[in-house]
Amino acid sequence: MELLDRATAWSWLGSAVEEARAGLAEGGVPIGAALYGADGTLLGRGHNRRVQDDDPSTHAETAAFRAAGRQRTYRGTTMVTTLSPCWYCSGLVRQFGISRVVIGEAVTFRGGHDWLAAHGVEIVLLDDPACVAMMRDFIGKNPALWNEDIGE
């Protein structure tokens, strides 16, 4: 698998950011994700819908994964997410052999991406200031909801 160039990573992050903004507009947690195929095709995208659906398992990465539908294999695919994936979503990446994760930011929450890297998943951390600002603003206004989302 080729290394992902930064321009493509930033472009793909745009679809996840759109999803995060959609979730925020719906009154939810502003985390978005998208799953791209090995050929660069957008397979699925989604956002955290825990609040909207009253479903604690609907994280952005799981929503994007579900939207992608069944694939013969997930090898070579890239999960793009606005925030470092939690352990639950990191487990999804490992379970299904997703090869790469592009992360908008890991300042407000540092999930399991170091563990993923240690297990052969390519990690592209973009440190996007807009993703950081969106999460900081949300956390500042909704600390109880945020703590619920991350299981604290």
Side-chain angles (χ1 to χ4, degrees), residues 23-103:
L24 183 60
E26 295 169 357
V29 180
I31 304 170
L35 184 65
Y36 284 86
D39 64 355
T41 301
L42 177 61
L43 300 174
R45 53 191 280 172
H47 52 272
N48 184 304
R49 296 193 50 84
R50 292 182 62 258
V51 173
Q52 300 92 313
D53 296 347
D54 195 30
D55 180 352
S57 70
T58 311
H59 289 206
E61 297 87 348
T62 60
F65 181 75
R66 289 173 182 160
R70 290 176 54 202
Q71 306 293 316
R72 190 181 75 67
T73 182
Y74 294 90
R75 304 260 178 243
T77 63
T78 300
M79 180 66 75
V80 182
T81 180
T82 56
L83 185 65
S84 179
C86 70
W87 287 108
Y88 170 61
C89 296
S90 294
L92 179 146
V93 169
R94 281 285 320 272
Q95 174 72 30
F96 291 96
I98 294 170
S99 299
R100 177 187 300 124
V101 179
V102 173
I103 302 167

Side-chain angles (χ1 to χ4, degrees), residues 15 17 22 36 44 50 70 72 114 116 133-134 151:
S15 59
V17 169
Y36 284 86
R50 292 182 62 258
R70 290 176 54 202
R72 190 181 75 67
D114 289 332
L116 288 171
M134 182 169 39

